[in-house]
Amino acid sequence: MTSETKVSPIYADEHLSCDILVVGAGVVGLWIARLAARAGHRVIILEKRSAGTGASGGVLGALMPHMPERWNPKKQFQFEALGSLAAEVANLEAETGQNCDYRRCGRLMPLVQPHHRELAQQRMVAAAQVWDSNFQWNLLDAPCKANWPAVHTMPHGLVHETLAARISPRKYMAALKASLATQALLLEGEGFNRFDDAVQKVVTTSGRNISAGHTILAAGHETFDILSDMLARPAADFGTPVKGQAALLQAEISDDVPLVFHDGVYAVPHEGGTVAIGSTSETSFDDSVATDAKLDNLIERARVLCPVLETAAVLERWAGLRPKAIKRDPMIGAVPDRPDITVATGGFKITFGIAHKMAACALELASVGHCGTLPESFRLETHLR
Ligand SMILES: Cc1cc2nc3c(=O)[nH]c(=O)nc-3n(C[C@H](O)[C@H](O)[C@H](O)COP(=O)(O)OP(=O)(O)OC[C@H]3O[C@@H](n4cnc5c(N)ncnc54)[C@H](O)[C@@H]3O)c2cc1C
């Protein structure tokens, strides 16, 4: 069923037209819409399901920086995004009155081998050089809170870095959607179908035509299928979906402790004594939304890592598909020979921390045709090379 979140009088008549048409209402698409509306553009968002029910509708919400060594433009981009997100979320919360459960909680990482400690010391030096002085990479001998994580996991101490943060994906998505209520037209249950170049319109899955000055494809992993149709190449030339499973547990823990990351397991405390556990990474799967023994195994490993979780009840099991572009980095740029269509996807495992900056770059490309702050490795042409 199609639903329309109405909006401003500019959309009052039945003929749909806009300056910017955003395809996909995940965290990237909603940020593009938010920034475009803020810049005074008339915006329509097409979402074939409901806003925030793709990969952005999960439970984890870890905002983790890249390692500080071998610094490069991609790491700088993410660093700046993680730095600016706190203020962006504060504005969003003030504007909407909705809480996003954002906290700069930091991250703990146990050190298992002697060489892990040596590497951590090198990273401490690197972080002091490339991170600004607001954030530190510290070495500790024991956690500040007993059993978070378990002492046996850290024979050589642990790292405590203060840049990582967390956010509730669902609360964040709800606030982003609310911020657009009077700023844009969100069409849910109505997807992008195709471009009709003869009449220069976008045709939706329900057969409506939309005249758009510019279209931005932010359909997560399904962007690769849209590109495949447009450019007559296999979707895998552009990227693939990578399945992830995660869980939400009810624990006896305050939400002001750092998140824990060890050997591929995340334990991310959220408000209300909940702790999110993530994530599997699956390139082959039969059912994209089913959870299975791989998640059971992850939960068991999290209980060993953080004994506070030993008896924690499982509130929810969840799975989704991350967009992984062909060269692994985010994919942003104008579609070849189509300066009126921009792509913004491929945030893969770090999208929540960078979506607002991905959106700003996509809009700059759409408006002026170039974006000086976009790392070379993120550019669509780099992915297609
Ligand atoms: C288990 C798991 C844990 C994760 N944990 C983290 C984490 O801790 N931190 C982090 O930063 N990232 C994490 N991620 C990754 C993150 O969730 C994704 O990278 C991010 O949500 C992608 O956002 P998106 O807006 O690009 O795509 P999506 O959120 O998938 O949004 C795309 C939207 O486009 C819509 N759409 C598709 N096709 C069409 C069409 N033809 N017309 C209209 N609409 C269409 C879809 O319905 C969807 O709503 C995790 C992912 C998973 C699966």
Side-chain angles (χ1 to χ4, degrees):
M1 197 214 296
T2 300
S3 82
E4 297 184 11
T5 305
K6 275 267 188 319
V7 234
S8 95
I10 53 175
Y11 303 105
D13 85 53
E14 268 312 296
H15 174 70
L16 289 178
S17 75
C18 58
D19 305 315
I20 304 279
L21 176 69
V22 182
V23 177
V27 65
V28 176
L30 291 184
W31 261 108
I32 294 167
R34 175 168 164 79
L35 297 184
R38 207 195 264 169
H41 297 300
R42 295 173 311 135
V43 181
I44 296 178
I45 310 151
L46 273 182
E47 167 52 58
K48 76 176 188 187
R49 302 178 185 92
S50 304
T53 54
S56 304
V59 292
L60 200 65
L63 309 173
M64 308 237 289
H66 289 299
M67 294 299 161
E69 72 270 23
R70 296 194 301 275
W71 204 242
N72 59 28
K74 160 186 163 172
K75 293 186 177 189
Q76 181 66 26
F77 182 96
Q78 191 216 21
F79 178 79
E80 288 170 13
L82 290 175
S84 59
L85 186 60
E88 293 289 358
V89 172
N91 286 341
L92 181 65
E93 291 180 333
E95 218 175 285
T96 59
Q98 298 200 16
N99 162 32
C100 297
D101 183 20
Y102 174 89
R103 179 183 275 270
R104 179 131 10 234
C105 56
R107 165 174 55 164
L108 298 173
M109 291 178 283
L111 301 168
V112 182
Q113 303 284 346
H115 71 270
H116 292 157
R117 190 161 179 107
E118 282 165 29
L119 184 59
Q121 271 157 345
Q122 290 163 18
R123 286 178 171 158
M124 187 164 68
V125 174
Q129 287 165 355
V130 295
W131 291 3
D132 70 39
S133 56
N134 292 322
F135 308 112
Q136 288 89 38
W137 181 282
N138 299 318
L139 276 178
L140 308 179
D141 291 321
C144 305
K145 183 175 170 48
N147 274 333
W148 187 264
V151 174
H152 69 80
T153 64
M154 56 182 88
H156 295 277
L158 75 168
V159 168
H160 176 213
E161 60 86 354
T162 62
L163 173 56
R166 67 116 204 276
I167 197 162
S168 158
R170 290 176 192 166
K171 290 179 182 170
Y172 187 28
M173 293 303 296
L176 281 170
K177 182 177 171 183
S179 79
L180 289 163
T182 57
Q183 309 282 318
L185 177 63
L186 170 61
L187 301 175
E188 296 181 285
E190 184 160 3
F192 165 90
N193 183 17
R194 64 189 171 85
F195 290 98
D196 186 339
D197 290 332
V199 288
Q200 295 191 321
K201 290 194 171 147
V202 164
V203 183
T204 73
T205 45
S206 61
R208 276 207 271 198
N209 289 337
I210 302 178
S211 304
H214 200 100
T215 301
I216 304 187
L217 303 174
H221 72 91
E222 287 160 283
T223 309
F224 307 134
D225 300 320
I226 299 175
L227 286 173
S228 166
D229 288 347
M230 285 179 65
L231 300 176
R233 286 172 62 172
D237 281 5
F238 306 103
T240 46
V242 176
K243 180 176 172 180
Q245 302 183 42
L248 193 66
L249 275 55
Q250 184 68 57
E252 295 291 319
I253 185 141
S254 93
D255 77 330
D256 59 356
V257 294
L259 66 88
V260 176
F261 178 65
H262 181 54
D263 197 17
V265 179
Y266 299 79
V268 184
H270 285 278
E271 284 173 351
T274 57
V275 176
I277 305 301
S279 302
T280 66
S281 210
E282 303 163 46
T283 47
S284 80
F285 45 86
D286 295 325
D287 184 339
S288 63
V289 293
T291 62
D292 56 29
K294 295 189 187 79
L295 182 57
D296 300 339
N297 177 267
L298 199 73
I299 295 170
E300 282 319 306
R301 289 173 60 209
R303 293 192 199 276
V304 173
L305 177 63
C306 300
V308 164
L309 303 176
E310 249 164 25
T311 56
V314 177
L315 298 176
E316 185 181 344
R317 298 161 66 93
W318 181 84
L321 296 179
R322 311 171 179 99
K324 181 184 174 198
I326 184 75
K327 295 208 169 142
R328 200 186 164 98
D329 281 358
M331 175 186 267
I332 302 170
V335 173
D337 302 322
R338 290 303 301 256
D340 57 325
I341 307 169
T342 299
V343 169
T345 185
F348 194 30
K349 295 185 175 178
I350 62 165
T351 314
F352 280 105
I354 63 171
H356 60 298
K357 242 174 106 66
M358 286 174 69
C361 288
L363 269 181
E364 201 177 328
L365 281 172
S367 316
V368 294
H370 58 85
C371 173
T373 55
L374 187 64
E376 193 61 33
S377 64
F378 288 17
R379 294 175 187 269
L380 178 60
E381 57 267 32
T382 306
H383 286 275
L384 297 187
R385 218 171 272 151

